[in-house]
């Protein structure tokens, strides 16, 4: 893995950090916001017989985290190809 220029490397890491920040904010909002701060208003909504606030605190934030992992992998593969730093031999 080698970058063509220093600017190329900086642009790559800037996009990488931007993606990480977005995904971490989503995870924070879902886990802390929905599971703790907004639990009472969300409990007024039922999901499969469970209060939505309870569901986010117990299950939803975990599911969102797993989905975010797959989103990160997909986006990073695209970013690696964009900057020609991917590891596969296609």
């Amino acid at each position: 893995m080698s970058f063509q220029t220093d600017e190329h490397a900086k642009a790559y890491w800037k996009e990488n950090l931007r993606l990480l920040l977005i995904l971490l904010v989503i995870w924070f909002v879902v886990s802390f916001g929905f599971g703790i701060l907004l639990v009472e208003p969300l409990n007024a909504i039922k999901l499969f017989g469970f209060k939505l606030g309870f569901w986010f605190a117990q299950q939803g934030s975990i599911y969102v985290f797993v989905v975010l992992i797959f989103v990160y992998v997909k986006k990073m593969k695209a970013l690696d190809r964009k900057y020609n730093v991917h590891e596969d031999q296609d």
Side-chain angles (χ1 to χ4, degrees):
M1 176 166 99
S2 63
F3 292 100
Q4 294 154 351
T5 65
D6 193 38
E7 285 183 24
H8 198 71
K10 286 180 183 178
Y12 173 82
W13 285 109
K14 184 177 179 181
E15 285 192 52
N16 185 1
L17 291 177
R18 182 176 178 271
L19 174 62
L20 270 176
L21 182 63
I22 290 169
L23 295 177
L24 285 173
V25 166
I26 292 170
W27 186 36
F28 176 79
V29 167
V30 170
S31 62
F32 189 75
F34 293 171
I36 297 173
L37 297 178
L38 300 174
V39 72
E40 293 302 322
L42 289 174
N43 277 339
I45 303 167
K46 297 269 186 177
L47 178 70
F48 301 114
F50 297 100
K51 296 176 181 177
L52 189 59
F54 172 78
W55 184 83
F56 268 112
Q58 298 300 313
Q59 298 293 325
S61 59
I62 296 168
Y63 292 148
V64 170
F65 180 70
V66 170
V67 168
L68 290 177
I69 291 171
F70 286 105
V71 168
Y72 178 74
V73 168
K74 183 177 180 181
K75 294 288 190 177
M76 281 307 298
K77 283 183 180 180
L79 187 64
D80 287 350
R81 289 193 184 282
K82 177 181 175 182
Y83 286 94
N84 198 25
V85 292
H86 53 91
E87 295 178 2
D88 19 315
Q89 301 295 326
D90 292 345

